[in-house]
Amino acid sequence: MDWQDLGEARTLAPGEHLVAGLPDYSVLVVNVDGTFHAVENLCPHDGGELGGGLIEGDRVTCPRHGACFNLRTGEVLKPPAFEDLLRFEVRVENGRLLVATQPKASD
């Protein structure tokens, strides 16, 4: 598996997020209570960028039509979206925040 270095993990404090461009995906990375989670940055309903939406705890709301997703699982919590988000593995290695360049396989 290939990993992309997103910089020093300590710069992304709890409650903060960043959007990273990977070779094939745009990914939203969020620090939820000290644990990093990454999901595809596009709403499956109509392609709205989730990084511009409301992020509260472990939930993100699409700014276009209000679909809501769980950042830990990628699960859709509120329509109009009915498809879960792709998730990406995240790890911290030697203080660096790394994200997998391809989505996780379905659980």
Side-chain angles (χ1 to χ4, degrees), residues 52-63:
L54 178 64
I55 298 173
E56 293 181 304
D58 65 353
R59 296 173 180 227
V60 60
T61 301
C62 180

Side-chain angles (χ1 to χ4, degrees), residues 34-95:
T35 302
F36 298 100
H37 300 279
V39 295
E40 188 171 19
N41 186 39
L42 296 176
C43 178
H45 169 247
D46 76 347
E49 292 189 13
L50 297 174
L54 178 64
I55 298 173
E56 293 181 304
D58 65 353
R59 296 173 180 227
V60 60
T61 301
C62 180
R64 296 193 61 180
H65 297 111
C68 185
F69 303 90
N70 183 301
L71 291 164
R72 296 176 196 270
T73 65
E75 178 184 10
V76 63
L77 301 173
K78 178 182 163 201
F82 292 98
E83 230 179 283
D84 294 343
L85 298 173
L86 295 176
R87 294 181 302 139
F88 294 77
E89 289 187 50
V90 182
R91 69 182 185 198
V92 176
E93 192 172 281
N94 297 320

